[in-house]
Amino acid sequence: MVTMDINPYQSPDYFEVVPANCAVPESAPRVDGRCLVVRSGTVLPPVCVKTNQPVSNDEVVRQDFYWCSPWVLLLIFVNLLVLLIAYLIARKKCALLFGLQRTIRRRYRRRLLIKITVMVVSFVGCFYAGAADAPVLIVIALCVFAGALISLCIGQSPLKIRKHRDGWFWVQGCCVDYLTAIQQAE
């Protein structure tokens, strides 16, 4: 029976001191300007990406991000169904495990509830305006509903994928102190 000193399933610790003659692992995160460059499946250090404060295991979040070339949006002129199919085929998935404090998660959850509430109230308001035969109020309610729907689809994530190249993803949304710590760990 062979005993192993190193657990191959242990999550990587990028803040270990690396000897000068050892190369940094190819899949280790690195910093490029205001973006964190990672591969899909990367486990980031147990530090909040927004505040650079240590987090517990309960505050570590696993989230899937998707990136698609903006050129796919040109298919909107062809057909919405073609655009949707092309998006589903062309998008790239980036799974990340990162730290996010409870207060930050609560803030994003509160924003989501506010957006849903505005969307529901404006939708119901559209019916009341229709029953009152007020076309101006119907248009206003529909505009508020559309705005709430768009804001629901955009801005619901603490991190965003800005670019993809050769399996590497440029992630934006980390605080400057966090990026500095990652850069010093390189």
Side-chain angles (χ1 to χ4, degrees), residues 93-175:
K93 180 180 174 182
C94 178
L96 286 179
L97 206 66
F98 60 95
L100 194 63
Q101 288 183 333
R102 278 191 177 83
T103 56
I104 307 290
R105 284 194 319 216
R106 202 173 302 132
R107 187 180 314 146
Y108 278 96
R109 193 174 311 122
R110 190 177 313 124
R111 286 180 191 168
L112 175 68
L113 291 175
I114 289 170
K115 290 175 184 180
I116 290 173
T117 303
V118 167
M119 200 168 81
V120 168
V121 168
S122 64
F123 187 72
V124 171
C126 185
F127 286 111
Y128 280 119
D133 196 27
V136 173
L137 292 178
I138 293 173
V139 170
I140 291 172
L142 285 175
C143 288
V144 170
F145 177 80
L149 183 64
I150 290 170
S151 72
L152 189 65
C153 297
I154 299 171
Q156 271 311 111
S157 177
L159 301 176
K160 295 168 188 58
I161 304 293
R162 289 295 173 207
K163 187 167 60 168
H164 172 265
R165 187 181 308 140
D166 298 327
W168 290 95
F169 293 91
W170 277 253
V171 179
Q172 189 175 22
C174 301
C175 73

Side-chain angles (χ1 to χ4, degrees), residues 52-122:
N52 200 36
Q53 300 296 319
V55 295
S56 66
N57 287 341
D58 297 339
E59 296 175 317
V60 173
V61 178
R62 183 198 181 281
Q63 190 168 354
D64 293 337
F65 299 94
Y66 294 96
W67 179 88
C68 188
S69 173
W71 290 103
V72 173
L73 285 177
L74 290 176
L75 292 175
I76 198 165
F77 297 116
V78 176
N79 187 333
L80 285 176
L81 183 61
V82 172
L83 171 67
L84 179 65
I85 292 170
Y87 170 77
L88 291 174
I89 292 172
R91 69 182 180 170
K92 307 287 185 199
K93 180 180 174 182
C94 178
L96 286 179
L97 206 66
F98 60 95
L100 194 63
Q101 288 183 333
R102 278 191 177 83
T103 56
I104 307 290
R105 284 194 319 216
R106 202 173 302 132
R107 187 180 314 146
Y108 278 96
R109 193 174 311 122
R110 190 177 313 124
R111 286 180 191 168
L112 175 68
L113 291 175
I114 289 170
K115 290 175 184 180
I116 290 173
T117 303
V118 167
M119 200 168 81
V120 168
V121 168
S122 64

Side-chain angles (χ1 to χ4, degrees), residues 4-17:
M4 294 178 50
D5 294 335
I6 299 173
N7 181 359
Y9 300 105
Q10 181 178 355
S11 64
D13 186 7
Y14 295 114
F15 288 110
E16 282 183 1
V17 177

